[in-house]
Amino acid sequence: MPTPTAYRSPRAAATAAVVLLAVVGAATLFVLATDVRLFSLAGGLASGVVLAEQADFTDVDQLQQTAGTIHLVAFLVSAVVFVNWFQRVRANAGVFDPLGHRFSQGWAVGGWVVPVGTLWIPRQIAGDIWKASGRPDESGVRPPAPQGLLNLWWGAFWISNLLERIGSRINSGAADWGSYRTSLLWIMASDVLELVAAGLAAAVVLRLTGMQEQRCAESTVGPHGVHISAVEG
């Protein structure tokens, strides 16, 4: 029989991740507000050069750059905190079900930085964590757990990235105000989806953390220093 492995509560890491995701959401709203303003000013400039609008455009463009910097810093910090939580729940999932995972624990971090593989590896790991963290029935078997929340989060996250890339590419080649405004439409759509993705990511964090805490609470040993048999479930 394999040696039991210790369970550690992901609650503190989850709280930090949710707070940072909220900060990212606020920063994204800041960026979106500047994009909307730039879109409006660009429309006025397209219909006729007005010195006042040019000055406003310059000011808002500088504000957008500031908003973008704030957003980037918030995103990077939240990514580190989120991955820390992700690594913790992956380790706990290995306690609940040591054999039900397609990737080792190291991939809970590495999967986010591997070129191309980042498109699907973290999602597969999240799915395996979700399955392992589900409550077993009376016979000790875990029924299939719907993963719609995971699918919505992952889809919103990557579609947002795709829209932002499209908008940035159009923006870099924009030769007139019309093209510039088109690029902003793509970028604003990306901003909105990023807000949705941040909310869904927070929901995933809370849901998975709750599942693991419930699983631990229903074990024969309390949540502090709990040891769960590696052959359970």
Side-chain angles (χ1 to χ4, degrees), residues 132-213:
S133 302
R135 296 174 61 190
D137 58 22
E138 291 77 7
S139 62
V141 177
R142 284 185 299 275
Q147 297 185 10
L149 180 59
L150 290 180
N151 293 332
L152 287 172
W153 159 58
W154 199 244
F157 175 73
W158 279 111
I159 293 173
S160 172
N161 275 272
L162 176 62
L163 295 179
E164 194 278 332
R165 287 175 181 270
I166 293 173
S168 296
R169 177 162 295 187
I170 295 173
N171 184 283
S172 64
D176 52 51
W177 289 114
S179 298
Y180 177 75
R181 296 185 86 213
T182 298
S183 73
L184 285 177
L185 285 174
W186 286 95
I187 292 172
M188 287 188 291
S190 170
D191 293 339
V192 172
L193 262 184
E194 184 177 349
L195 280 170
V196 173
L200 290 170
V204 168
V205 170
L206 293 173
R207 177 65 178 139
L208 261 178
T209 298
M211 289 167 65
Q212 292 200 343
E213 289 186 325

Side-chain angles (χ1 to χ4, degrees), residues 81-91 108 112 122 125-126 129:
V81 173
F82 180 89
V83 171
N84 177 62
W85 166 83
F86 195 67
Q87 185 180 36
R88 168 49 38 205
V89 291
R90 169 60 183 86
W112 294 96
I125 293 173
I129 295 171

